[in-house]
Amino acid sequence: MTVTIPDTAPQTAMVLAAGQGLRMRPLTNHRPKPLIPVLGKPMLDHALDRLAEAGVGRAVVNSHYLGAMIGEHLKDRTSPAITLSPEDTLLETGGGVKKALPHLGTAPVYTVNADIFWLDGPVPALRRLAAHWNPAEMDALLLLMATTKSVGYDGLGDYHMDPLGGLTRRGERELAPFVYAGVQIVKPELFAADTPDGAFSTNLIWDRAQAAGRLFGLAHDGLWFHIGTPAGLREAEDLLAIGGVRAVAH
């Protein structure tokens, strides 16, 4: 299917690749989690390939644990062009984006977790996000996965979504029908305005956007895999190899 990339689609992305991957040991004893292969290709490359296909020209990639390996892996990559943002100390998701702000520009950007894996539905997820993005009404647009359809995920979910896509975080003892899928469009300036120096979570940004009525979601219509442990990786690869899925997981 040929899909037109909207003029409002982000041209820049932030790829979050700084985590330590402690639950993936021993696979992460000698390499960072984003470089663990799924179907023969590192998860980081799957993410960057999808960004390139969505028209993203430049990606900022942060790193911390075994970060030199990530830099070496990406040194010859040209599509998208790579800017590295190494972190001496872990800054978490929000702090990592804030540190990279000088490289991100002022226009809305994609952010993608480098340690997730998804398969698109009929229309690529990044292009669906771009088509739904409305900066006049939204500060952040999150790709969400139905909790019950998330492979390898056993949590309580993250958000409730109303019929117009507005999001509300689940309460402490609640179950929520959607989990954040690790992909969003967000306005970079949100990370600069009254945010902590050092480490902080993107949850701070989302909670502020929710309070302002400007946090929205889009349900993913393909497959999504939470690969948090070696057993989860084996489960994902076993499922992906069924029914010819391997051939489309380019």
Side-chain angles (χ1 to χ4, degrees), residues 22-58:
L22 298 179
R23 294 178 63 225
M24 286 295 288
R25 289 176 173 171
L27 298 180
T28 53
N29 283 347
H30 303 292
R31 63 179 161 185
K33 184 179 177 183
L35 295 187
I36 292 175
V38 176
L39 299 182
K41 181 163 66 175
M43 287 187 279
L44 176 57
D45 287 343
H46 283 289
L48 289 169
D49 287 350
R50 284 185 167 84
L51 288 167
E53 291 163 4
V56 170
R58 185 162 56 92

Side-chain angles (χ1 to χ4, degrees), residues 146-172:
T147 308
T148 56
K149 297 180 181 178
S150 302
V151 179
Y153 177 78
D154 58 2
L156 300 176
D158 296 319
Y159 284 103
H160 302 275
M161 183 163 57
D162 68 29
L164 298 179
L167 298 185
T168 305
R169 188 181 296 278
R170 70 171 180 85
E172 184 177 350

